[in-house]
Amino acid sequence: MRASGKRKRALTAGPFSLARDQVRKSAGKAHGSMAVLGKTRRDKMAKAKTTVFFCKECGYESAKWVGQCPACREWNTMVEEPAAPRNSSAASAVRHQSSLMKSKPARLSEISVEEKDRVTTGYQELDRVLGGGVVAGSLVLVGGDPGIGKSTLLLQVCRNLSAVGQKVLYISGEESLKQIKLRANRIGQVTGDLRFLCETSLDNIQETISQEKPDIVIIDSIQTMYREEISSAPGSVSQVRESTNLLMQIAKGEGITIFIVGHVTKEGVVAGPRVLEHMVDTVLYFEGDRHASYRILRGVKNRFGSTNEIGVFEMREQGLVEVENPSEFMLDGRPEGASGAVVACAMEGTRPILLEVQALVTQSNLGIPRRTAAGTDYNRVNLLMAVLEKRCHYEMSRYDAYVNIAGGMKMNEPALDLAIIMALVSSLKDRPVDEKTIVFGEVGLSGEVRSVSMAEQRVNEAVKLGFEACVLPRISLDKMKKNGKIRLIGVSNVREAIGIF
Ligand code: TYD
Ligand code: MG
């Protein structure tokens, strides 16, 4: 009985605590005879330390545990992991490589940039986010929640790239070849040189890549990959960091484009791709509501183009389909003549997107009224309600208010302020806003309507979708060229805007 209990404890203790115990024991033994220790002995002791602490957010390494990471200032992000062997780490490979290619300084005029270095992925939405296609020898991280569609997107990209003559190698550490085949059957026919490999050892992968010499490699996902020389588990900070290091060398050294898939968990527990973001050239996030069918691909970092761009896709039965006109998609199925619904225009990078802001204002039975905001900032909604109360003398504190951006879209742009205010008042008075009108503008604390960027693009998008009127900040209107296709109504404060309907 006792023995089995002991074994159980030993089993649950895990390899980390075992290593820690050993360190402690050796430290304890040494303690008594510290005075007689020579310098070399003490050095050996320092080397015997087998675990270090890593920050899950930024990858900072520390010899001891600290509550707050000294580098990124995040709290409770340090995790204990076995130390990486110094001599065999990726650093030595980098040193080796840099000694091989002793580079000389060059003038800008001597550097040639060839357009053919960019390859189109077959999806305009993705090309735009990448800055005009895939750059040869770049390292692209595609992050996102599990199940959002990263593998599907990359498989479709592989299909397109292999169809135009690229040699593609898709390496999966998560799914079996059978599962990949089933997925591939759903997305349609695959032609060209597209090969699959189920492997998690990066050392084997490196060998395969040097034999096969593909143009494009997909690593799905980085959390399942490991390097043999590092003793910590796959997905830990040091594994993820060293694995990416190796992939970076392969990408830069051989001019191969590598897409890395990285899962993000809610708590960022398993070494979040945050650690990777510093190392790769491009970071894309694939996001969306699991219950809604659309997905947004957002550029967060891009060494080869703008980061403000987004691409919109829809998840269908046969895989992902590009959404060329997101506004139409977002406004689909809009209720007619309903109070509390206003169409607003938000910008995603250089792209205007029309969306519906909904508000429901009802009498409150509670001391503190209930307020919720789905898809937009809760505090912003509270602030706008305070502006209505103070500047327009509506007794908002007597009402519960629920604000929602229809379609599961998340938008925090201040240009939505005026639409939120109009939706709230419309619901409060139970009077619908004209459905052929769009509204945008930032609202300040004194109830003034402030100008927003790219007003012209927003108006043009409204024209494109057949809207007949647009309520916008007067300052923005004054700066704009006349547009005969739509009635433009400039307002300078909230009261004026409410007076329109
Ligand atoms: P997947 O690409 O496996 O997600 P990730 O790699 O980000 O974890 O996507 C899985 C989801 O996508 C799954 O819930 C099913 C759905 N899906 C479709 O709706 N249609 C399809 O054609 C495919 C392949 C997947
Ligand atoms: Mg996947």
Side-chain angles (χ1 to χ4, degrees):
M1 188 68 201
R2 220 181 195 174
S4 78
K6 233 181 203 173
R7 200 180 317 141
K8 213 181 220 168
R9 229 170 297 142
L11 275 175
T12 47
F16 288 6
S17 48
L18 192 73
R20 216 184 312 153
D21 282 346
Q22 277 168 356
V23 173
R24 231 180 262 145
K25 247 184 237 162
S26 66
K29 245 187 247 161
H31 189 69
S33 51
M34 195 60 111
V36 289
L37 272 181
K39 190 173 177 295
T40 44
R41 227 353 242 296
R42 234 173 302 167
D43 279 356
K44 260 191 203 152
M45 250 182 66
K47 271 182 197 152
K49 185 163 171 48
T50 48
T51 62
V52 285
F53 293 86
F54 284 107
C55 170
K56 284 187 295 194
E57 288 291 320
C58 67
Y60 178 83
E61 190 179 325
S62 164
K64 61 180 196 304
W65 189 85
V66 283
Q68 187 186 25
C69 170
C72 66
R73 307 251 143 228
E74 284 291 327
W75 287 91
N76 291 330
T77 54
M78 300 307 267
V79 286
E80 186 174 15
E81 279 180 17
R86 285 284 155 232
N87 51 354
S88 55
S89 86
S92 64
V94 171
R95 248 177 273 132
H96 172 69
Q97 204 183 21
S98 59
S99 66
L100 285 182
M101 340 180 269
K102 273 213 177 95
S103 44
K104 277 187 202 152
R107 287 195 183 83
L108 278 180
S109 55
E110 293 161 9
I111 307 165
S112 67
V113 185
E114 290 169 43
E115 259 313 298
K116 72 168 170 50
D117 285 350
R118 280 198 191 259
V119 184
T120 169
T121 59
Y123 288 121
Q124 267 185 8
E125 297 289 308
L126 176 57
D127 285 350
R128 188 179 44 242
V129 180
L130 287 171
V134 184
V135 178
S138 65
L139 199 58
V140 182
L141 171 68
V142 180
D145 294 335
I148 207 77
K150 301 179 293 294
S151 307
T152 309
L153 175 73
L154 288 175
L155 187 61
Q156 289 181 238
V157 168
C158 286
R159 178 196 57 190
N160 294 354
L161 287 169
S162 67
V164 294
Q166 298 275 317
K167 197 170 169 186
V168 187
L169 180 60
Y170 188 109
I171 302 166
S172 179
E174 294 190 340
E175 289 159 314
S176 64
L177 290 173
K178 258 196 198 139
Q179 283 171 305
I180 297 174
K181 170 98 182 163
L182 285 176
R183 190 199 303 273
N185 285 345
R186 287 174 80 171
I187 63 163
Q189 218 184 3
V190 175
T191 52
D193 194 352
L194 170 54
R195 291 182 207 197
F196 297 93
L197 175 71
C198 287
E199 181 61 79
T200 51
S201 159
L202 264 172
D203 302 271
N204 293 350
I205 289 173
Q206 187 180 23
E207 214 168 280
T208 312
I209 290 176
S210 63
Q211 282 165 10
E212 300 272 328
K213 298 211 177 346
D215 302 310
I216 314 268
V217 173
I218 314 285
I219 303 286
D220 188 4
S221 65
I222 193 73
Q223 271 99 357
T224 56
M225 300 295 157
Y226 73 97
R227 296 197 62 184
E228 267 145 37
E229 61 202 45
I230 294 164
S231 49
S232 57
S236 59
V237 182
S238 46
Q239 278 290 3
V240 165
R241 200 167 57 174
E242 295 295 312
S243 302
T244 313
N245 242 328
L246 182 64
L247 290 170
M248 186 161 63
Q249 286 163 44
I250 298 172
K252 302 294 164 200
E254 315 201 13
I256 298 172
T257 305
I258 303 183
F259 284 89
I260 301 175
V261 172
H263 292 296
V264 199
T265 51
K266 272 246 156 57
E267 310 80 30
V269 266
V270 205
R274 217 60 72 75
V275 179
L276 306 176
E277 284 182 14
H278 308 290
M279 303 162 80
V280 299
D281 295 315
T282 305
V283 180
L284 309 178
Y285 270 95
F286 206 39
E287 51 188 47
D289 197 0
R290 218 185 260 247
H291 308 292
S293 62
Y294 78 89
R295 302 278 184 271
I296 291 182
L297 190 67
R298 196 183 292 279
V300 182
K301 163 181 174 180
N302 194 354
R303 288 187 182 146
F304 308 107
S306 146
T307 51
N308 280 329
E309 297 298 343
I310 63 156
V312 185
F313 292 87
E314 189 189 350
M315 182 61 99
R316 295 221 189 128
E317 206 38 48
Q318 323 76 28
L320 290 155
V321 181
E322 286 181 281
V323 176
E324 269 154 42
N325 197 335
S327 300
E328 211 167 278
F329 187 73
M330 294 313 297
L331 295 181
D332 203 25
R334 196 154 56 100
E336 282 174 22
S339 67
V342 175
V343 179
C345 187
M347 294 301 288
E348 276 288 357
T350 54
R351 242 174 147 197
I353 294 186
L354 298 187
L355 33 89
E356 188 187 347
V357 177
Q358 299 180 327
L360 186 64
V361 179
T362 56
Q363 196 104 32
S364 179
N365 298 318
L366 303 166
I368 302 168
R370 254 180 88 84
R371 269 131 205 223
T372 63
T376 188
D377 185 16
Y378 170 77
N379 292 323
R380 193 91 200 159
V381 170
N382 274 335
L383 184 148
L384 293 171
M385 291 186 76
V387 169
L388 274 177
E389 177 123 23
K390 184 87 179 171
R391 308 291 167 199
C392 304
H393 309 295
Y394 290 112
E395 281 185 82
M396 297 312 276
S397 50
R398 282 180 34 217
Y399 296 94
D400 290 338
Y402 309 91
V403 173
N404 178 35
I405 308 283
M409 193 82 141
K410 285 189 183 58
M411 283 282 173
N412 285 325
E413 216 202 333
L416 288 185
D417 290 355
L418 193 57
I420 294 175
I421 289 233
M422 298 273 273
L424 285 168
V425 176
S426 161
S427 177
L428 179 71
K429 293 187 176 176
D430 203 11
R431 202 192 300 161
V433 174
D434 175 30
E435 62 200 45
K436 288 279 174 201
T437 302
I438 79 149
V439 178
F440 63 85
E442 182 181 344
V443 174
L445 290 188
S446 348
E448 81 276 19
V449 177
R450 310 173 73 106
S451 75
V452 297
S453 60
M454 299 194 254
E456 213 145 336
Q457 279 97 318
R458 294 177 208 250
V459 169
N460 290 342
E461 182 74 6
V463 172
K464 211 163 83 188
L465 284 165
F467 281 84
E468 288 162 4
C470 173
V471 179
L472 72 166
R474 177 153 300 141
I475 312 164
S476 301
L477 177 63
D478 292 345
K479 281 189 236 159
M480 266 171 61
K481 280 188 242 133
K482 292 279 158 286
N483 192 326
K485 294 183 199 132
I486 190 167
R487 194 157 63 93
L488 297 173
I489 309 161
V491 291
S492 48
N493 61 53
V494 175
R495 248 170 295 144
E496 249 179 76
I498 293 169
I500 295 171
F501 76 101

